[in-house]
Amino acid sequence: VAPLGGLYIDAQTDIPDSLIMPEIIIPEGARSVNVNVTAGEPGSGVLVLTVPGYAPIEVPVTVN
């Protein structure tokens, strides 16, 4: 459950021209959030999600 004030998720990618997304914050008291990701330029790379207290998660991404 996200703490008081919400939980910020740092989302970084090595293909910034390919992925367009808003800042990710899980609202206070929630367990998840939906985020719309829009495709930009074609490319392949990774999306790295970092949350305080947890190991980073790397998600392979391809935009055609």
Side-chain angles (χ1 to χ4, degrees):
V1 176
L4 184 66
L7 182 62
Y8 174 75
I9 299 176
D10 183 29
Q12 302 292 322
T13 183
D14 59 351
I15 53 171
D17 292 337
S18 299
L19 298 176
I20 302 159
M21 71 179 87
E23 194 172 61
I24 303 171
I25 299 173
I26 298 176
E28 177 181 322
R31 294 182 181 273
S32 63
V33 66
N34 293 321
V35 177
N36 290 325
V37 178
T38 303
E41 299 289 324
S44 291
V46 294
L47 175 63
V48 180
L49 304 171
T50 306
V51 179
Y54 295 92
I57 297 172
E58 292 190 7
V59 180
V61 177
T62 300
V63 176
N64 293 320

